[in-house]
Amino acid sequence: MSSQNQPQHNEAAISENELIAQRRTKLDALQQKAKQAGKSAYPNTFKPENYCGDLQAQFDGVDKATIESGDKVYAKVAGRVMLNRGSFIVIQDMTDRIQLYVDRKGLPSETLELIKSLDLGDIVAASGYIGRSGKGDLYVHLEAFELLTKSLRPLPDKFHGLTDTEVKYRKRYLDLMVNEETRNTFAIRAKVVAGIRAFLTQERFMEVETPMMHVIPGGASARPFVTHHNALDMQLYLRIAPELYLKRLVVGGFDRVFEINRNFRNEGVSTRHNPEFTMIEFYQAYADYKDLMTLTERMLEKLATDILGSTDVSYGDEVFSFKGPFKKITMFDAILEHNSDFSADDINDREFLAKFVKDELKQEVKPSFGLGKLQTIVFEETVETKLRQPTFITEYPAETSPLARRNDTNPHVTDRFEMFIGGRELANGFSELNDPIDQAERFRAQVAEKDAGDDEAMHYDADFIEALEYGLPPTAGEGIGIDRLVMLFADAASIRDVILFPHMRHK
């Protein structure tokens, strides 16, 4: 074999392998020493009593002289070594960072030797009293120190952090270790979920859990994931939406219910779509879609204020106002507003819209597409991205709203809304269809579309129809995409930035 065909050594890989070997050698020495002392190289007896962030907040604004003049305040902390500056070691826990001051005159030689052998990424425990450096940094003056976990792999470059997007998604644990922005994003996500739960609970909604494996996929128009139950020898579908089960609960007498749910849709992946995603769905008896628009405005305004401290939410180069009330406009009027060449008659002309969809939007027009389907396509393709500030689009066609209640004065449309922010759909809600005969007819129409080749059309759910026949009170329901809401609050460009472990192509 010629030299040109010989495998080329990767210097970076060799360097990393060498570093790993060095760390393993250190671990071997620690294990030998621990064994001689009858201990473990991975001790689990230290119990921290303080968080770094709490200490930083407690002593915020307290100067060096004041700290040194008062009684000593002792702290016990634990965390990962992020920087080692000789006399000062910087550790990080889930809340923040803090420095550890290495008093070389006051610590035993054995402890100093241990500190000298530390590598970035090691997890340590520290006890001592609080001080402040001449540069103004808070620190713990070490009196006791212990290595809890030896890190066998080097952290990403400490000066540049982890910047490779694919590695950030595949190895989120590294991303969380070294990127404060990522940690802040998921802290915001936790606050959004907790805030929604608290708001709805305060409004007397009851949190419930419904099945994630369905005999019939329903509650949305989407392509499901298919699985198989071996013991029962039956095909099951991963949940695409919890809607039909939640409405069964309203039939059963739970007038206000909600579920923070994971949904699975076997569809494309994009900056706004992940096959596994999180939604909040809630249902309120004796309410209509207008009531839910008002509730949504109140909830989002409170979330923004509580989490971000303002109803003005910065996203990229834009600022979205979450101060209610939001703009409300029908789909028909929105198409008219954003398509200056259309007349009202054009929007109600199926042949005109079919030609426009085929010739201008370059989309297939199937014979089964009615006027409502075409109107929806035109809206999605020519209007959605232009809806920047929070906007409720109302009166969706019945043809594309198989679970929504028809409008009393115009049976072509339904009492439904979708909310858009930054050109993206964030919420979908409507007055529920509680007429079992009408619902059965719409299910049959969906089945006809599925038979005609629409993979996302709904199945016929006979059990749900039977539940409606017992009587569903007048009800309104809504779903809000939590991932997309967090994207707005965290100023994240991609849905993968707000999902801890997004799905990736197999490598």
Side-chain angles (χ1 to χ4, degrees), residues 296-297 300-302 304-305 308 310-315 318-327 387-392 419-422 426 485 488-489:
T296 303
E297 290 168 343
L300 294 183
E301 183 175 327
K302 180 171 175 53
T305 302
L308 304 178
S310 172
T311 55
D312 288 337
V313 177
S314 297
Y315 186 78
E318 298 178 272
V319 177
F320 302 130
S321 174
F322 277 62
K323 179 70 175 176
F326 303 156
K327 180 179 179 180
L387 303 173
R388 309 310 300 176
Q389 290 298 321
T391 303
F392 288 112
M419 189 182 74
F420 294 85
I421 304 176
L426 185 71
L485 180 58
L488 290 170
F489 280 13

Side-chain angles (χ1 to χ4, degrees), residues 348-490:
N348 277 324
D349 186 333
R350 185 196 179 281
E351 296 308 314
F352 175 87
L353 291 185
K355 187 175 187 305
F356 179 81
V357 168
K358 182 178 179 181
D359 296 344
E360 301 299 326
L361 301 182
K362 308 300 181 184
Q363 290 198 21
E364 179 186 6
V365 176
K366 297 180 180 179
S368 61
F369 287 4
L371 176 62
K373 176 73 171 180
L374 294 170
Q375 288 173 336
T376 302
I377 293 173
V378 172
F379 168 77
E380 291 173 345
E381 297 298 322
T382 68
V383 180
E384 279 192 7
T385 59
K386 301 172 185 176
L387 303 173
R388 309 310 300 176
Q389 290 298 321
T391 303
F392 288 112
I393 299 295
T394 64
E395 298 187 11
Y396 275 68
E399 184 181 353
T400 55
S401 310
L403 298 170
R405 183 181 187 276
R406 292 183 191 270
N407 184 271
D408 288 338
T409 58
N410 181 2
H412 172 70
V413 299
T414 59
D415 290 342
R416 175 187 173 192
F417 68 82
E418 285 188 338
M419 189 182 74
F420 294 85
I421 304 176
R424 298 172 179 174
E425 177 201 343
L426 185 71
N428 179 27
F430 40 82
S431 298
E432 300 296 337
L433 175 59
N434 59 348
D435 178 346
I437 298 174
D438 189 358
Q439 182 65 82
E441 290 174 353
R442 295 205 215 173
F443 274 159
R444 281 190 281 269
Q446 287 283 300
V447 170
E449 289 193 27
K450 182 172 287 294
D451 291 342
D454 187 346
D455 292 333
E456 296 185 356
M458 293 185 185
H459 293 246
Y460 188 95
D461 191 334
D463 182 77
F464 179 67
I465 296 299
E466 182 177 332
L468 288 186
E469 289 173 345
Y470 282 97
L472 172 69
T475 299
E478 180 177 351
I480 299 176
I482 287 180
D483 304 313
R484 292 185 182 180
L485 180 58
V486 175
M487 286 174 65
L488 290 170
F489 280 13

Side-chain angles (χ1 to χ4, degrees), residues 17-18 26 53 76 195 202 216 226 256 272 281 292 304 312 396 500:
N17 287 339
E18 290 176 348
K26 291 180 182 180
K76 294 179 67 175
Q202 183 67 30
I216 297 174
V226 184
R256 298 187 180 203
R272 291 182 290 169
E281 285 207 19
L292 292 195
D312 288 337
Y396 275 68
L500 281 168

